[in-house]
């Protein structure tokens, strides 16, 4: 998990790090927590890829600084949007077994499927490294394009893509006014349907901001959404999130799905994106998933930890019949 995000929790005077190994809070260790030494060189003394990925993170940090300081809307260029989307893919695939969704899967239906468009489920550290190399190459290619060429290639739309990694996906930004967003050493939550038709990737970047990469085919607008559902048919599992793993899309959270539709407006060659408020009941469920999946749990408010600990969803340990 990048230090550029961790710092946003550390800046809070009441931040805490809970370690499940000792069942208690402890001090954050900069060189040890949320990192694995020589991970991107497969144990060899070679920092080339790690240095390159740091360049990607530093570039993205400047964009995220704009997001952190705004309450309602943020103006972004198409290049900034495209690279933020790529960064979300990077955050979701960089970690060993990040995309492991189901632990108990006797017939292998989940283990054989893909979870992110353009990125298959990563099973080995070698695959993580190779994918990150390809993502950095895409970052360099897109960064070097001049804005006029890039805008034409995207047909002046934030829904189009210059990379297979971000094809068919759009970006949303969320806020939480209570500083209740938590994260663990599993730094992304990936939601999909029964046939692994990708829905979204959720990545907290501070106690009150999160990025989400969302499947446009479902959520470009409500008209498209209804048409897509009708086309698939109500009995097709692809129409709805998994009833086995999706605790986010439940009846008491029906309004959450409305937040997945994008809110882009063109403004002086840039795109104004509305920063939407993430409901507290959704935040709590996300926090519970992070606590369940990870060993280290980074938080600000003690009540958020207690809720995550005492409201375990057990959404991973499920037998598929």
């Amino acid at each position: 998990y990048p230090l550029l995000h961790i710092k946003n929790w550390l800046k809070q005077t009441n931040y805490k790090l809970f370690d499940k190994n000792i069942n208690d809070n402890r001090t954050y260790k900069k060189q040890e927590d949320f990192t694995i030494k020589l991970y991107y060189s497969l144990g060899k003394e070679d920092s080339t890829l790690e240095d390159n990925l740091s360049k990607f993170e530093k570039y993205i940090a400047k964009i995220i600084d704009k997001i952190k300081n705004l309450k309602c809307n943020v103006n972004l260029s198409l290049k900034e949007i495209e690279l933020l989307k790529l960064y979300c893919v990077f955050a979701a695939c960089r970690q060993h077994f990040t995309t492991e969704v189901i632990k108990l899967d006797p017939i292998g239906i989940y283990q054989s499927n893909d979870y992110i468009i353009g990125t298959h489920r990563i099973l080995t550290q070698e695959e993580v490294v190779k994918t990150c190399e390809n993502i950095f190459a895409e970052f360099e290619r897109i960064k070097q394009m001049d804005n006029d060429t890039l805008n034409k290639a995207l047909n002046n739309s934030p829904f189009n893509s210059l990379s297979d990694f971000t094809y068919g996906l759009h970006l949303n930004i969320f806020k939480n006014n209570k500083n209740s967003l938590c994260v663990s050493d599993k730094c992304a939550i990936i939601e999909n349907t029964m046939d692994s038709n990708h829905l979204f990737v959720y990545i907290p970047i501070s106690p009150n901001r999160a990025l989400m990469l969302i499947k446009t085919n479902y959520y470009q607008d409500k008209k498209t959404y209804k048409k897509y559902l009708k086309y698939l048919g109500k009995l097709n599992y692809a129409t709805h999130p998994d009833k086995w793993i999706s605790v986010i899309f439940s009846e008491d959270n029906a309004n959450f799905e409305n937040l997945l539709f994008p809110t882009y407006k063109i403004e002086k060659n840039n795109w104004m994106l509305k920063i939407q408020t993430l409901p507290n009941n959704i935040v709590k469920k996300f926090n519970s998933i992070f606590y369940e999946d990870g060993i280290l749990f980074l938080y600000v408010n003690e009540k958020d930890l207690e809720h995550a600990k005492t409201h375990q969803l057990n959404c991973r340990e499920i037998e598929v019949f």
Side-chain angles (χ1 to χ4, degrees):
Y1 193 59
L3 183 58
L4 72 98
H5 301 322
I6 293 174
K7 285 179 178 177
N8 294 323
W9 274 269
L10 302 184
K11 288 176 183 176
Q12 306 292 323
T13 56
N14 54 340
Y15 98 89
K16 297 287 192 304
L17 179 68
F18 184 82
D19 188 336
K20 289 165 72 172
N21 287 321
I22 61 173
N23 196 33
D24 202 355
N25 293 324
R26 65 167 174 79
T27 305
Y28 166 73
K29 301 173 184 177
K30 184 176 179 180
Q31 302 299 326
E32 298 179 24
D33 295 330
F34 300 96
T35 186
I36 301 175
K37 190 176 181 181
L38 303 177
Y39 185 78
Y40 294 105
S41 60
L42 300 174
K44 299 176 183 177
E45 291 285 348
D46 182 357
S47 64
T48 303
L49 179 56
E50 189 163 354
D51 292 342
N52 285 338
L53 295 176
S54 293
K55 295 176 185 176
F56 184 19
E57 291 178 357
K58 287 178 182 177
Y59 187 97
I60 294 298
K62 295 177 183 178
I63 306 174
I64 288 177
D65 280 343
K66 295 168 61 174
I67 296 169
K68 290 192 304 186
N69 298 323
L70 295 173
K71 294 183 179 180
C72 298
N73 304 300
V74 58
N75 286 325
L76 298 171
S77 67
L78 282 181
K79 179 181 285 191
E80 289 174 320
I81 292 171
E82 181 69 2
L83 290 177
L84 270 177
K85 287 161 62 175
L86 188 63
Y87 182 75
C88 288
V89 176
F90 171 53
C93 77
R94 65 188 293 177
Q95 196 174 315
H96 194 36
F97 290 112
T98 296
T99 55
E100 182 177 17
V101 177
I102 297 294
K103 292 177 181 177
L104 290 178
D105 181 16
I107 60 176
I109 188 169
Y110 285 95
Q111 272 65 13
S112 63
N113 286 324
D114 296 343
Y115 291 95
I116 309 177
I117 293 175
T119 305
H120 63 82
R121 181 176 181 268
I122 294 173
L123 299 175
T124 67
Q125 186 177 342
E126 287 79 6
E127 288 182 287
V128 175
V129 172
K130 184 61 178 177
T131 303
C132 289
E133 286 175 345
N134 293 335
I135 287 175
F136 177 74
E138 287 289 78
F139 161 67
E140 285 284 274
R141 179 177 70 87
I142 295 168
K143 183 187 69 171
Q144 291 171 13
M145 295 177 69
D146 65 80
N147 287 332
D148 187 52
T149 302
L150 182 142
N151 290 347
K152 287 180 180 178
L154 289 171
N155 197 26
N156 291 312
S157 171
F159 301 110
N160 294 330
S161 175
L162 295 173
S163 171
D164 290 342
F165 284 115
T166 56
Y167 177 78
L169 303 169
H170 66 264
L171 176 75
N172 277 11
I173 301 171
F174 291 93
K175 64 180 178 179
N176 176 267
N177 297 325
K178 295 186 176 182
N179 274 359
S180 286
L181 304 188
C182 305
V183 76
S184 72
D185 44 323
K186 295 288 188 181
C187 60
I189 291 173
I190 301 171
E191 182 64 90
N192 53 277
T193 59
M194 179 63 185
D195 65 349
S196 287
N197 213 337
H198 167 71
L199 289 181
F200 68 75
V201 172
Y202 164 78
I203 303 126
I205 58 175
S206 79
N208 54 37
R209 289 291 186 277
L211 303 177
M212 197 175 288
L213 199 58
I214 301 165
K215 184 179 178 71
T216 306
N217 230 357
Y218 282 89
Y219 300 110
Q220 182 166 343
D221 53 57
K222 291 189 177 181
K223 183 179 179 181
T224 302
Y225 176 66
K226 291 178 180 178
K227 181 180 178 180
Y228 197 71
L229 289 185
K230 186 177 180 180
Y231 171 75
L232 290 171
K234 292 184 178 180
L235 297 179
N236 189 321
Y237 280 119
T239 60
H240 296 291
D242 276 345
K243 62 181 180 181
W244 287 283
I245 66 173
S246 183
V247 292
I248 303 302
F249 294 86
S250 56
E251 291 182 5
D252 60 318
N253 300 319
N255 291 331
F256 171 64
E257 198 157 28
N258 291 328
L259 298 177
L260 301 183
F261 295 105
T263 55
Y264 288 98
K265 291 183 180 179
I266 189 71
E267 188 174 275
K268 296 180 181 179
N269 296 322
N270 282 343
W271 287 86
M272 185 184 76
L273 177 57
K274 181 181 179 182
I275 302 175
Q276 303 189 85
T277 301
L278 202 60
N280 285 326
N281 59 335
I282 296 294
V283 172
K284 289 178 179 179
K285 291 191 174 184
F286 279 144
N287 290 346
S288 292
I289 293 173
F290 277 127
Y291 182 86
E292 179 181 343
D293 283 2
I295 300 299
L296 303 179
F297 187 74
L298 195 57
Y299 68 100
V300 173
N301 301 309
E302 195 71 34
K303 61 181 181 180
D304 294 324
L305 171 66
E306 290 307 311
H307 186 277
K309 289 171 66 175
T310 55
H311 292 74
Q312 285 296 277
L313 306 172
N314 298 319
C315 58
R316 299 294 190 262
E317 298 185 3
I318 294 166
E319 186 172 356
V320 182
F321 298 99

